[in-house]
Amino acid sequence: MMRTVFVNGEYLPEDEAKISIFDRGFLMADAVYEVTSVLDGKLIDFDGHAVRLERSLRELDMAAPCSKDELLEIHRKLVEENGIVEGLVYLQVTRGSDGDRDFAFPDADTKPGIVLFTQNKPNLADSPASKKGAKIISIDDIRWGRRDIKTVQLLYPSMGKMMAKKAGCDDAWMVEDGYVTEGTSNNAYFIKNGTIVTRPLSTDILHGITRKAVLRLAEEAQMQIEERLFTIDEAKEADEAFTTSASAFVMPVVEIDGVQLGDGTPGPIAKRLREIYLDESRKTAI
Ligand code: PLP
């Protein structure tokens, strides 16, 4: 089906949407993005994504293309026009184009670029992958040092996914200085003796919107949480593990570097957290 997309102020059929070859998102990966999930035709944690977008823009000295209310309106209009009941809205803001290529940023009055499109994913909540659980490999983390900014520099994470695929697995967790940072497109956790362990927030990882919600819900459910550095060997000896992201919610992990966790099926705490997260998200969706 031909989607309606939003490009620099216009709603257009996807095959008529165009951006300049001089756009800095295209030339320099000088762009940031957000992915917001849709359940029951409504947006999950729109506010969290809008706040993180503002922060990413601020950290890069990039102008906002429109107000938060306008962003919400565009998200909603695309969800409606494209008949999305379950799926995702992708949003990208770039530093725009001043009609040439230069390492220096263009003048501050250069208009930022903005692109939004939807992705229809009918089985997002009831995904077969979440029932099986993910097999992961560990790889070196060789990304730049500001992973807290959600930029479109996704080549290494894409390569990580391909390394996992080649090894017959689903995803990769990245390791730096002996400690796990995060997954290629998600935050990483393990559970040992009932305690959920995850890396604390810093510039080393993306401050996941799903991470924040899941940790709050786990705390409300009286679960023990430790935010600390952890090694891949600790995770391999865990009872359970999981990842969180806006596009996969809570995803159980059943194998790390060929080592099976528990009985090799999604663990009870990860499964429970997925249920709680989905229930709460549906209730607060807008
Ligand atoms: N970490 C990385 C590197 C990511 O790319 C993502 C999502 O794209 C996440 C974590 C999870 O963030 P969120 O829960 O906001 O989707």
Side-chain angles (χ1 to χ4, degrees):
M1 194 189 93
M2 182 80 75
R3 278 172 288 194
T4 297
V5 302
F6 183 86
V7 180
N8 295 332
E10 283 187 282
Y11 292 94
L12 294 166
E14 64 184 42
D15 63 346
E16 286 174 28
K18 292 186 178 62
I19 60 153
S20 165
I21 61 159
F22 300 113
D23 188 280
R24 287 183 59 93
F26 173 62
L27 292 178
M28 306 276 189
D30 190 354
V32 297
Y33 76 108
E34 285 294 331
V35 177
T36 303
S37 57
V38 177
L39 291 176
D40 312 321
K42 290 182 183 169
L43 299 161
I44 304 302
D45 214 339
F46 173 80
D47 209 59
H49 290 283
V51 167
R52 185 171 61 189
L53 174 69
E54 277 169 19
R55 179 179 182 278
S56 294
L57 292 171
R58 203 168 49 242
E59 291 297 312
L60 295 175
D61 237 347
M62 210 184 276
C66 58
S67 70
K68 196 162 131 186
D69 287 348
E70 284 167 324
L71 261 192
L72 177 58
E73 195 189 314
I74 302 166
H75 275 74
R76 282 180 159 160
K77 184 157 174 179
L78 288 181
V79 168
E80 197 188 317
E81 292 252 323
N82 295 310
I84 306 295
V85 178
E86 282 193 25
L88 306 170
V89 182
Y90 177 85
L91 153 71
Q92 180 167 327
V93 178
T94 87
R95 203 180 300 275
S97 147
D98 66 354
D100 208 344
R101 179 176 182 273
D102 194 344
F103 277 79
F105 291 174
D107 291 343
D109 60 359
T110 302
K111 265 181 82 173
I114 175 168
V115 168
L116 284 96
F117 57 81
T118 54
Q119 292 183 296
N120 191 30
K121 307 253 179 197
N123 282 325
L124 201 62
D126 196 27
S127 85
S130 70
K131 295 196 179 86
K132 245 175 83 191
K135 293 182 179 180
I136 61 153
I137 59 166
S138 61
I139 60 174
D140 285 342
D141 195 339
I142 59 166
R143 297 173 300 162
W144 81 323
R146 288 302 307 274
R147 302 155 194 159
D148 55 314
I149 308 173
K150 198 165 167 65
T151 76
V152 300
Q153 300 176 70
L154 297 174
L155 181 54
Y156 187 65
S158 295
M159 289 169 73
K161 287 258 197 240
M162 294 312 292
M163 289 182 235
K165 258 189 155 178
K166 217 169 158 185
C169 293
D170 305 293
D171 203 357
W173 282 8
M174 294 176 280
V175 177
E176 184 175 58
D177 299 332
Y179 298 104
V180 174
T181 51
E182 57 190 332
T184 57
S185 59
N186 43 58
N187 291 114
Y189 312 73
F190 74 86
I191 303 165
K192 185 75 182 176
N193 300 327
T195 298
I196 301 167
V197 178
T198 195
R199 190 178 177 108
L201 295 182
S202 70
T203 50
D204 298 335
I205 61 168
L206 187 73
H207 302 187
I209 302 303
T210 321
R211 177 188 186 279
K212 188 174 177 186
V214 166
L215 289 183
R216 178 175 51 79
L217 294 169
E219 206 175 318
E220 282 171 17
Q222 317 285 327
M223 295 178 187
Q224 293 301 310
I225 301 161
E226 266 181 33
E227 290 183 68
R228 63 166 174 84
L229 299 183
F230 65 94
T231 65
I232 201 76
D233 283 342
E234 273 184 281
K236 280 188 216 167
E237 283 167 17
D239 303 321
E240 299 182 35
F242 64 94
T243 62
T244 61
S245 67
S247 54
F249 312 122
V250 176
M251 173 63 68
V253 166
V254 296
E255 187 185 297
I256 301 174
D257 285 338
V259 176
Q260 180 182 299
L261 303 187
D263 65 1
T265 64
I269 297 177
K271 280 204 298 205
R272 181 82 194 109
L273 280 173
R274 184 178 174 90
E275 276 169 19
I276 298 175
Y277 176 75
L278 284 170
D279 282 354
E280 282 304 308
S281 297
R282 285 185 198 278
K283 279 189 212 152
T284 54
I286 60 168

